Amino acid sequence: MLGFRTQMPWSSVQEESQGQLCEGAAAVVAARQGMETPLTAVAEAFEELARGMDADGGELRLAPFGDTCALVSVLFSSLGMAFRFAEIEYVTKVNDLIGAGKSYRTLSDILDKDIENDSVKKQGSHSRNLRRVRLGLGLIKALFEQFLTTEGCSLYDAATTAYGQVCAPFHSWAIRKAVGAGMYTLPSREQLIVRLNETDFSVQKEMRRYIDASSPIIEYIDNLFLSRNISLDW
């Protein structure tokens, strides 16, 4: 890879992702277009989200959380057809949480309401969708961690390991089989870097920023469930 970035807007994968998002979520993604690379936009958004959580006394507000998570859809798109299953599910759940942000102030509020209605794990509930979005965030985080672990690590190896750690335990054999076959359609390491409009150096920096910025958010969501005696094995 050459040591410079080509000056171009976010790639066509962003446009495809916006087509999946509801109007509000698409507007969040579009607002970042042309301003920075996808990785930078996502990392900065999660850093802002963490600062907001600290300012709110440790509470995570639902509206900015949904807006931030909408940006991650572009990262799923950059992985191509192999992660299409994850992107579609992820976008659907994010759209639901963005809609819920009009009625609920915090993530705690939606979980407490679903506990009251005995619907935490019910298909379509906000709490179930929050759990699925958290898995999406964790999948990207794990993939980036694997990508950075060994210099020259292939995207196939990184994605296979990340999927096995984060999502496979909750998927049926048929889904795992389909995902495994789809992994062979992943772009190469070099192709992913180009799609993200990064260089070998900058992609490492921005991936680490996402890992560091998303970690406290992921931990916070897990603790929301665990503190209410709700296991994470679903």
Side-chain angles (χ1 to χ4, degrees):
M1 291 290 294
L2 298 175
F4 60 89
R5 307 184 196 194
T6 55
Q7 295 302 311
M8 59 182 182
W10 289 12
S11 69
S12 59
V13 295
Q14 183 205 25
E15 297 175 2
E16 180 181 347
S17 179
Q18 279 183 233
Q20 305 283 335
L21 293 166
C22 67
E23 182 178 348
V28 174
V29 176
R32 298 274 183 168
Q33 187 170 3
M35 297 173 59
E36 57 222 340
T37 70
L39 274 177
T40 300
V42 173
E44 287 182 351
F46 273 95
E47 289 167 352
E48 292 170 8
L49 190 65
R51 288 192 293 269
M53 185 170 65
D54 290 339
D56 285 338
E59 286 281 3
L60 187 53
R61 288 187 292 128
L62 182 54
F65 173 76
D67 289 346
T68 299
C69 290
L71 295 171
V72 179
S73 64
V74 181
L75 303 183
F76 279 112
S77 292
S78 70
L79 297 170
M81 292 302 297
F83 275 73
R84 187 68 167 173
F85 76 96
E87 180 190 0
I88 292 173
E89 180 177 33
Y90 179 84
V91 167
T92 300
K93 308 318 184 197
V94 169
N95 285 343
D96 173 75
L97 295 180
I98 288 176
K102 299 174 183 178
S103 304
Y104 299 91
R105 181 176 179 274
T106 68
L107 271 63
S108 295
D109 290 340
I110 62 172
L111 187 53
D112 289 339
K113 185 64 175 178
D114 283 341
I115 290 174
E116 179 183 334
N117 294 331
D118 193 25
S119 60
V120 170
K121 298 183 181 181
K122 184 178 179 180
Q123 189 76 28
S125 74
H126 298 318
S127 295
R128 184 180 179 88
N129 289 341
L130 173 61
R131 174 69 182 144
R132 293 300 176 263
V133 169
R134 177 262 179 262
L135 289 177
L137 301 179
L139 179 61
I140 294 294
K141 175 176 175 284
L143 190 154
F144 285 176
E145 289 171 338
Q146 292 299 318
F147 192 88
L148 298 175
T149 297
T150 305
E151 185 174 355
C153 173
S154 72
L155 185 57
Y156 172 86
D157 290 339
T160 299
T161 300
Y163 173 76
Q165 292 175 346
V166 178
C167 295
F170 309 108
H171 286 167
S172 66
W173 177 88
I175 293 178
R176 294 197 303 271
K177 185 77 171 178
V179 171
M183 290 294 184
Y184 291 100
T185 68
L186 282 166
S188 67
R189 181 187 182 95
E190 292 74 20
Q191 287 171 332
L192 177 65
I193 293 173
V194 170
R195 288 186 183 188
L196 294 174
N197 200 19
E198 301 286 351
T199 67
D200 286 325
F201 174 77
S202 68
V203 77
Q204 295 183 49
K205 174 186 174 183
E206 299 304 330
M207 283 184 175
R208 288 193 179 95
R209 282 184 70 190
Y210 172 81
I211 292 168
D212 292 341
S214 65
S215 291
I217 304 301
I218 292 171
E219 181 179 0
Y220 174 85
I221 296 171
D222 285 348
N223 286 336
L224 278 183
F225 287 94
L226 293 173
S227 65
R228 291 163 174 77
N229 296 318
I230 302 171
S231 67
L232 303 178
D233 57 349
W234 54 287

